[in-house]
């Protein structure tokens, strides 16, 4: 089968979406003529025209507000924020508007909108263009938070998100854009369940976004050591499919949770809590978390690589809880 | 545009009375502790909602703010459902999940009141985008206050609406106060409408206490916007006759100031047009007042008997469980 990078997969999903439903449009900074700061929207303007593919001024509140108002009145916006860090500017529209409107108005209206954005560190973009803010977003009832770990999932999850009648924040990791995997040409969807990326018996590694590849790398190393590791990919933080994680934890009795976001207050804490509530008796060792230190993302390459967890950190954690 | 004749004046006057009576009753309910949270009354601003909404079709949209009861009534909302929402009943517009600050009624094009100052402005841009996208002839009116015009969302929204020539009228109800801060202290300009210049759109200041002026000025703006001329910023100069909310100590303004503005009460002004220009008798005016008061009290009484939502309803209405019925068509990448 052909291989696509995550960038190409997102671009293909957008083309499929635009080709399928006239209510779908996109707006954002530099997405039309320029093809997107994320280079994911190239070709859309040429293929679908300026009515549906719109460059906006640098106005993040207006971009998200546009999506909210358009979704309330019958369109299906897929807007782009160039970096997840910029949600600070647009946060009222996400936190108080998109997330609240349906519930606050007693279910009177639905908001089928997607905010695509890019998160994560590793490319030297510094403290204001490299963050992992998903834990903050996952704490807000009313929105969905998706974080694909590869090109296949990105295509399927994005199409599922665009068909969802709720507001979705779709976070693409910048370090994954060039990573390729097999992606079918035809349209398909991935659901919001956790995906077991590798089956194993002795230890569970729960990860999402760019950390899934690190987890898989650690699992390969563990295999050479005679340890069978299962890798669970949490593709969706809201809704969170705790069942799949708990099932794996019950089977292996040892769990390492890894994310790139700061360990403190990260989504890993939520995952760990779900596991201990449902599988405490089955745990052979305490659940172990791997995450970034509690500092902003540094610029310098040596500091940044210390900041971002990798397979080495996961292995260390795994070795700690593999002892009897 | 319908001519502002006696029949229409009577209709609009009745609406203004209905809004005033609604707020009176809302305060009574607050005193009885039936409404729980803050009630922001529209007293003194009735001519604006009524004069504006008189030009709107049911399909046109409005977006409101925390002081939104008047906008709802003027757009045709059901009084009982409004009272029920104020009292958190399951029959309320939001099934008791919204409250006074969050009444919405999509059936009359009322896209929602908003508890965040300036929060509705970018949403209005989105609704106007849909109208233009679908080319359905609808327009959007975004009501907000002088306070909201100092928010960043105001700038982003007006700028985007202006460059895309979206069909939206931004109606700034300058009631002189953002809670306690007088507009002369919160901005360095005399006319908030001057801010339109920053977006290359028309800005106009209207006496918002004069129903006939609001009616005529808005007619022009609605026509321009409907014709595709892009947004207009209308500043409606008015006065918040009551405190920011029921229970406000109002230590930031003098009794003299409040009394002076009471002489410009928009309801008295509209009543005087009826008696002086259209020969409506005092008795007929009193009759309208009685009738509207009666409607309001009946709605309130009925709502008082309505049930609270079931506790099981707490977690309902958060997510729409359904997905759009879209069949994905393949796309052959070049």
């Amino acid at each position: 089968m052909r291989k696509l990078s995550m960038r190409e997969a997102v671009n293909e999903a957008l083309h499929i979406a635009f080709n399928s439903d006239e209510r779908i449009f996109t707006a954002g900074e530099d997405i039309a003529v320029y093809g997107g700061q994320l280079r994911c929207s190239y070709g859309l303007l040429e293929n679908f025209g300026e009515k549906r593919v719109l460059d906006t001024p640098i106005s993040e509140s207006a971009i998200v507000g546009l999506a909210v108002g358009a979704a309330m009145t019958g369109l299906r916006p897929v807007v782009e924020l160039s970096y997840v860090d910029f949600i600070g500017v647009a946060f009222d529209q996400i936190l108080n508007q998109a997330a609240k409107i349906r519930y606050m108005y007693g279910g009177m209206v639905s908001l089928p909108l997607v905010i695509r954005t890019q998160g994560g560190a590793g490319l030297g973009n510094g403290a204001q263009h490299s963050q992992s803010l998903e834990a903050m977003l996952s704490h807000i009832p009313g929105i969905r938070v998706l974080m694909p770990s590869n090109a296949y999932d990105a295509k399927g999850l994005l199409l599922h998100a665009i068909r969802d009648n709720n507001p979705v924040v779709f976070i693409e990791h910048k370090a994954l854009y060039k990573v390729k995997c097999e992606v079918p040409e035809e349209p398909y969807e991935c659901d919001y369940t956790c995906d077991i990326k590798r089956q194993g018996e002795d230890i569970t590694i729960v990860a999402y976004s760019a950390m899934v590849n690190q987890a898989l790398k650690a699992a390969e190393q563990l295999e050479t050591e005679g340890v069978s590791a299962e890798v669970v990919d949490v593709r969706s933080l809201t809704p969170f499919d705790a069942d799949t994680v708990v099932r794996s934890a019950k089977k292996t009795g040892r769990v390492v949770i890894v994310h790139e976001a700061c360990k403190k207050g990260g989504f890993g804490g939520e995952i760990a809590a779900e596991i201990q509530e449902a599988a405490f008796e089955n745990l052979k060792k305490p659940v172990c978390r791997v995450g970034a230190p509690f500092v902003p993302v540094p610029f310098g390459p040596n500091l940044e690589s210390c900041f971002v967890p990798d397979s080495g950190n996961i292995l260390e954690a795994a070795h700690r809880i593999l002892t009897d | 545009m319908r001519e502002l004749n006696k029949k229409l004046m009577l209709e609009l006057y009745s609406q203004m009375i209905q809004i005033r009576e609604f707020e009176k009753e809302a305060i009574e309910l607050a005193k009885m502790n039936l409404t729980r949270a803050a009630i922001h009354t529209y007293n003194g601003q009735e001519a604006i909602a009524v004069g504006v909404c008189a030009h709107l079709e049911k399909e046109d949209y409005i977006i409101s703010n925390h002081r939104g009861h008047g906008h709802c009534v003027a757009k045709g909302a059901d009084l009982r459902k409004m009272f029920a929402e104020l009292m958190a009943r399951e029959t309320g517009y939001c099934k008791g999940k919204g409250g006074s600050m969050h009444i919405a009624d999509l059936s009359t094009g009322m896209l929602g009141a908003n508890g965040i100052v300036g929060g509705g402005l970018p949403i209005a841009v989105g609704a106007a985008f849909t109208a233009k996208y679908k080319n359905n002839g609808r327009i959007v009116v975004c009501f907000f206050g002088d306070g909201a015009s100092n928010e960043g969302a105001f700038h982003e929204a007006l700028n985007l609406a202006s460059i895309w020539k979206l069909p939206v009228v931004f109606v700034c109800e300058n009631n002189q106060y953002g809670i306690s801060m007088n507009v002369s202290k919160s901005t360095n300009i005399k006319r908030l409408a001057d801010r339109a210049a920053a977006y290359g759109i028309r800005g106009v200041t209207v006496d918002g206490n004069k129903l006939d002026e609001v009616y005529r000025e808005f007619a022009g703006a609605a026509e321009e916007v409907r014709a595709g001329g892009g947004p207009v910023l209308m500043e409606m100069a008015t006065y918040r006759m009551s405190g920011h909310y029921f229970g406000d100590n109002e230590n930031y303004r003098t009794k003299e100031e409040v009394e002076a503005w009471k002489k410009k009460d928009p309801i008295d002004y509209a009543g005087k047009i009826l008696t002086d220009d259209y020969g409506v008798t005092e008795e007929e005016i009193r009759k309208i007042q009685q009738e509207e008061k009666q409607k309001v009290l009946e709605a309130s009484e009925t709502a008082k008997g309505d049930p609270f939502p079931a506790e099981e309803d707490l977690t309902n209405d958060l997510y729409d469980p359904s997905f759009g019925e879209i069949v994905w068509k393949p796309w052959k990448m070049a």
Side-chain angles (χ1 to χ4, degrees):
Chain A
M1 195 191 292
R2 64 172 190 160
K3 289 190 169 183
L4 288 189
S5 68
M6 193 170 87
R7 173 169 286 136
E8 292 165 329
V10 168
N11 184 255
E12 184 168 278
L14 290 170
H15 275 85
I16 289 167
F18 272 72
N19 190 37
S20 306
D21 196 309
E22 286 278 332
R23 294 169 298 178
I24 296 166
F25 75 95
T26 186
E29 294 156 15
D30 314 298
I31 62 147
V33 176
Y34 190 65
Q37 286 186 46
L38 316 186
R39 313 302 299 167
C40 285
S41 50
Y42 57 86
L44 288 175
L45 178 64
E46 292 76 2
N47 289 313
F48 301 103
E50 59 185 17
K51 184 187 170 192
R52 297 175 68 194
V53 185
L54 298 99
D55 278 325
T56 66
I58 302 168
S59 301
E60 289 82 8
S61 283
I63 292 168
V64 180
L66 166 76
V68 171
M72 286 179 81
T73 50
L75 299 183
R76 303 187 76 92
V78 183
V79 296
E80 180 176 304
L81 295 181
S82 319
Y83 291 82
V84 74
D85 314 69
F86 301 170
I87 66 167
V89 186
F91 211 35
D92 176 59
Q93 289 298 322
I94 297 174
L95 168 74
N96 286 315
Q97 312 302 337
K100 301 293 189 287
I101 281 176
R102 180 177 163 81
Y103 184 83
M104 192 166 75
Y105 297 161
M108 188 187 297
V109 63
S110 298
L111 277 77
L113 68 92
V114 178
I115 300 167
R116 278 186 49 249
T117 188
Q118 151 190 232
L123 302 183
N125 290 298
Q128 297 174 333
H129 291 75
S130 303
Q131 293 172 85
S132 296
L133 300 175
E134 67 276 5
M136 198 163 78
L137 292 164
S138 76
H139 198 61
I140 304 170
I143 54 175
R144 302 210 190 278
V145 183
L146 309 183
M147 297 185 80
S149 67
N150 65 34
Y152 177 91
D153 286 356
K155 179 176 171 180
L157 275 175
L158 184 55
L159 287 173
H160 199 52
I162 294 174
R163 217 163 54 72
D164 197 320
N165 286 332
N166 298 286
V168 180
V169 181
F170 191 87
I171 306 171
E172 299 154 14
H173 197 292
K174 58 173 70 64
L176 295 175
Y177 275 137
K178 291 181 179 168
V179 181
K180 293 191 173 197
C181 72
E182 289 189 346
V183 179
E185 278 188 42
E186 65 270 17
Y188 61 90
E189 291 183 15
C190 298
D191 64 20
Y192 298 148
T193 56
C194 290
D195 189 43
I196 297 178
K197 290 286 192 276
R198 181 192 171 109
Q199 302 272 354
E201 302 300 326
D202 304 325
I203 186 169
T204 299
I205 307 172
V206 184
Y208 55 79
S209 191
M211 286 301 114
V212 171
N213 290 341
Q214 296 302 318
L216 289 167
K217 214 168 144 190
E220 274 170 36
Q221 176 60 33
L222 286 169
E223 191 177 12
T224 66
E225 299 168 12
V227 175
S228 161
E230 180 148 297
V231 175
V232 180
D233 181 0
V234 182
R235 302 182 292 191
S236 165
L237 277 60
T238 308
F240 170 47
D241 165 25
D243 291 351
T244 300
V245 172
V246 166
R247 213 175 304 124
S248 180
K250 281 183 173 169
K251 177 173 73 175
T252 64
R254 299 174 205 270
V255 184
V256 175
I257 301 163
V258 53
H259 53 57
E260 185 185 305
C262 298
K263 182 173 150 185
K264 177 183 179 293
F267 194 73
E270 174 67 19
I271 300 172
E274 287 279 358
I275 293 170
Q276 71 88 14
E277 279 172 14
F280 186 75
E281 305 292 328
N282 307 82
L283 293 175
K284 295 170 185 144
K285 286 280 176 177
V287 173
C288 184
R289 287 180 296 154
V290 174
F294 193 55
V295 290
V297 183
F299 163 67
N302 59 330
L303 294 178
E304 191 180 29
S305 68
C306 284
F307 174 92
V308 178
D310 62 13
S311 59
N313 302 117
I314 300 169
L315 272 177
E316 264 173 54
H319 288 148
R320 241 180 6 251
I321 59 167
L322 279 165
T323 55
D324 278 314
Chain B
M1 171 186 132
R2 285 192 295 169
E3 193 203 333
L4 193 54
N5 55 20
K6 180 178 173 183
K7 184 168 172 285
L8 183 56
M9 266 304 287
L10 280 168
E11 204 179 293
L12 300 184
Y13 180 75
S14 304
Q15 271 186 35
M16 289 174 69
I17 297 290
Q18 192 175 100
I19 294 170
R20 183 69 61 91
E21 291 297 332
F22 183 94
E23 300 295 39
K24 271 190 207 160
E25 177 61 8
I27 295 300
E28 289 308 310
L29 298 176
K31 285 180 187 162
M32 289 185 267
N33 210 18
L34 288 171
T35 58
R36 310 197 70 208
I39 297 289
H40 306 93
T41 65
Y42 199 60
N43 297 341
Q45 303 176 212
E46 295 88 346
I48 302 165
V50 168
V52 165
C53 292
H55 297 284
L56 301 181
E57 302 296 329
K58 195 175 168 190
E59 291 73 24
D60 291 323
Y61 295 116
I62 65 166
I63 302 249
S64 173
N65 59 358
H66 59 286
R67 201 172 299 287
H69 302 161
H71 308 138
C72 294
V73 172
K75 196 69 172 59
D78 180 86
L79 298 179
R80 173 187 169 179
K81 284 186 176 178
M82 286 180 67
F83 278 125
E85 191 55 40
L86 262 58
M87 292 186 279
R89 308 306 163 100
E90 73 168 20
T91 50
Y93 268 114
C94 312
K95 303 184 194 166
K97 287 177 171 135
S100 160
M101 266 193 287
H102 306 298
I103 296 177
D105 177 16
L106 268 79
S107 70
T108 58
M110 160 60 184
L111 292 177
N114 210 304
I116 304 296
V117 170
L121 284 149
I123 301 174
V125 172
F129 178 83
T130 300
K132 184 168 179 177
Y133 191 90
K134 291 185 175 172
N135 195 23
N136 58 16
R138 298 182 187 185
I139 66 170
V140 180
V141 174
C142 181
F143 292 102
F144 58 99
D146 43 291
S149 74
N150 295 326
E151 291 276 10
F154 169 87
H155 173 63
E156 291 196 18
L158 268 72
N159 186 58
L160 190 58
S162 73
I163 60 166
W164 287 353
K165 284 199 180 316
L166 297 179
V168 51
V169 185
F170 294 102
V171 175
C172 177
E173 298 181 84
N174 179 359
N175 67 11
Q176 313 300 318
Y177 286 94
I179 305 187
S180 70
M181 193 177 205
N182 189 274
V183 68
S184 64
K185 293 178 183 166
S186 66
T187 73
N188 200 27
I189 49 173
K190 289 265 180 282
R191 284 166 19 107
L192 296 178
D194 289 348
R195 290 188 165 168
Y199 312 104
I201 62 174
R202 187 165 79 86
V204 57
T205 301
V206 180
D207 187 335
N209 282 24
K210 294 182 174 168
L211 177 63
D212 51 345
E213 284 190 27
V214 171
Y215 185 84
R216 289 196 186 98
E217 287 292 336
F218 187 82
E223 201 177 318
E224 272 173 66
V225 165
R226 249 185 241 285
V232 172
L233 172 62
M234 298 189 84
E235 176 192 11
M236 301 288 188
T238 184
Y239 192 72
R240 200 187 66 207
M241 285 172 64
S242 306
H244 169 60
Y245 51 78
F246 170 64
D248 183 353
N249 69 16
E250 298 183 61
N251 69 346
Y252 46 84
R253 61 183 183 183
T254 63
K255 284 204 175 76
E256 293 72 32
E257 180 188 302
V258 176
E259 288 306 316
W261 273 94
K262 268 189 188 161
K263 296 196 178 93
K264 300 184 216 171
D265 187 329
I267 286 185
D268 293 345
Y269 178 85
K272 201 161 161 15
I273 294 178
L274 283 174
T275 52
D276 293 3
D277 299 355
Y278 296 113
V280 177
T281 63
E282 292 291 341
E283 196 183 334
E284 284 173 289
I285 296 270
R286 271 196 298 276
K287 192 166 163 254
I288 291 172
Q289 289 171 343
Q290 274 309 316
E291 280 172 5
E292 295 307 325
K293 186 175 183 172
Q294 203 48 40
K295 276 186 213 163
V296 164
L297 292 180
E298 274 168 26
S300 172
E301 271 314 300
T302 317
K304 275 182 201 163
D306 287 344
F308 286 98
E311 285 176 12
E312 300 79 66
D313 198 38
L314 170 68
T315 52
N316 291 335
D317 300 322
L318 180 59
Y319 292 99
D320 183 340
S322 71
F323 280 72
E325 284 175 16
I326 304 171
V327 180
W328 297 125
K329 295 180 196 160
W331 175 266
K332 191 83 187 159
M333 297 300 290

